[in-house]
């Protein structure tokens, strides 16, 4: 559907289970996913923009769909800073939006995003980058279960070291947070966190999820006992016994 919409030069929102792609004249201008921190998180967590500066731009220009331009005009961020952060957030969210999904895919024509146009991306380039990222994950450590399971840290071997970014991630690997939750807590793109988790697993610093136990075969239901069983005829049983004894 994305390729068809690009060919049609459609404008609107492509909705899937894992998020939304926003198109203007067939090019993707923004992407959002609950699995990926948004551009607001990436800007404010990185220190490029104070949270109150983001809220101010959203209040002033959100209804006009010009939040990005408002940030530049107010001097909060430079055009280059906004573009780099926007592209990072777009590709990060699109990785999840374009992933395998069981739900329906819908397109709402005419819907615009409040950020406004920053740097549109061709649909072909977005799809190509998504495939490249999936292949990169598997080349690092082929264990897709790591991407959605709670991250459990392991003690490093004697002499084994980690980078500063890996150390910050491992501090949050409490066996409860998933890679996505850690990405939100750190204010980093989710895909970068997935890569680090797989690298740590390959180095033995993160436990691989256990394979599910095989299901036991179902036992046959016990035979039902009729509720109306009558008491045995004791006299008849005695006569049968006596007859058998007489023939022996």
């Amino acid at each position: 559907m994305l390729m068809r919409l690009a060919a049609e030069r459609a404008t609107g929102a492509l909705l899937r289970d894992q998020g939304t792609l926003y198109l203007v004249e067939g090019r993707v201008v923004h992407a959002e996913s609950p699995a990926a921190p948004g551009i607001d998180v990436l800007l404010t967590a990185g220190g490029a923009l104070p949270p109150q500066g983001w809220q101010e731009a959203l209040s002033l220009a959100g209804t006009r769909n010009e939040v990005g331009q408002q940030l530049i005009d107010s001097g909060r961020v430079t055009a280059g800073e906004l573009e780099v952060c926007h592209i990072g957030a777009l590709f990060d969210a699109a990785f999840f939006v374009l992933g395998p999904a069981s739900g329906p895919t819908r397109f709402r024509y005419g819907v615009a995003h409040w950020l406004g146009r920053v740097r549109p991306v061709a649909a072909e380039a977005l799809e190509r980058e998504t495939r490249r990222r999936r292949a990169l994950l598997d080349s690092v450590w082929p264990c897709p279960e790591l991407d959605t399971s709670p991250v459990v840290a392991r003690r490093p071997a004697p002499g084994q070291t980690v980078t500063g970014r890996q150390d910050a991630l491992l501090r949050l690997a409490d066996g409860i947070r998933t890679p996505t939750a850690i990405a939100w807590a750190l204010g980093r793109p989710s895909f970068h966190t997935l890569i680090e988790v797989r690298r740590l697993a390959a180095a033995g610093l993160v436990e691989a999820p256990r394979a599910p136990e095989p299901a036991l075969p179902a036992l046959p239901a016990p035979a039902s006992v009729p509720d109306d069983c009558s008491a045995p005829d004791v006299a008849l049983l005695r006569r049968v016994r006596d007859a058998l004894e007489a023939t022996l």
Side-chain angles (χ1 to χ4, degrees):
M1 181 182 285
L2 179 60
M3 294 299 102
R4 177 173 62 80
L5 293 168
E8 292 177 2
R9 299 179 60 85
T11 295
L14 178 66
L15 295 88
R16 301 194 80 203
D17 280 354
Q18 287 298 315
T20 305
L21 299 181
Y22 294 87
L23 285 73
V24 173
E25 297 181 353
R27 295 170 68 84
V28 182
V29 295
H30 198 60
E32 288 181 341
S33 171
I39 187 172
D40 55 333
V41 176
L42 300 183
L43 280 172
T44 57
L49 178 70
Q52 61 270 24
W54 174 264
Q55 290 299 327
E56 178 182 325
L58 193 61
S59 300
L60 292 174
T63 57
R64 304 195 309 270
N65 301 326
E66 295 179 354
V67 172
Q69 191 60 48
Q70 175 65 31
L71 289 170
I72 296 173
D73 293 344
S74 65
R76 296 285 189 180
V77 297
T78 66
E81 288 173 331
L82 181 64
E83 183 175 313
V84 169
C85 196
H86 168 255
I87 288 294
L90 190 156
F91 278 107
D92 194 39
F95 174 79
F96 298 97
V97 178
L98 296 178
S102 58
T105 299
R106 305 177 303 278
F107 188 74
R108 295 175 58 192
Y109 285 90
V111 176
H113 193 268
W114 43 259
L115 183 67
R117 188 184 303 199
V118 178
R119 183 183 175 186
V121 176
E124 296 86 351
L126 193 63
E127 203 168 69
R128 183 171 59 249
E129 175 62 12
T130 298
R131 289 196 299 268
R132 186 193 72 84
R133 292 187 176 201
R134 295 200 182 282
L136 178 59
L137 281 175
D138 288 337
S139 71
V140 172
W141 188 252
C143 183
E145 293 81 10
L146 282 166
D147 300 343
T148 55
S149 300
V151 184
V152 181
R154 301 178 65 181
R155 290 182 178 274
Q160 191 174 20
T161 60
V162 296
T163 66
R165 291 178 64 84
Q166 291 175 333
D167 182 63
L169 190 157
L170 289 170
R171 289 177 184 273
L172 296 178
D174 54 4
I176 299 175
R177 294 184 178 94
T178 62
T180 294
I182 292 176
W184 279 90
L186 294 174
R188 296 178 185 172
S190 285
F191 178 76
H192 295 179
T193 306
L194 296 182
I195 284 287
E196 289 294 354
V197 168
R198 294 216 192 185
R199 285 174 178 161
L200 290 167
L205 294 171
V206 163
E207 290 186 8
R210 294 182 179 179
E213 296 283 340
L216 296 176
L219 297 176
S224 58
V225 179
D227 296 333
D228 58 348
C229 290
S230 57
D233 189 337
V234 178
L236 175 62
L237 292 176
R238 284 176 179 171
R239 288 196 298 272
V240 172
R241 183 197 63 186
D242 294 341
L244 290 173
E245 290 177 348
T247 60
L248 295 177

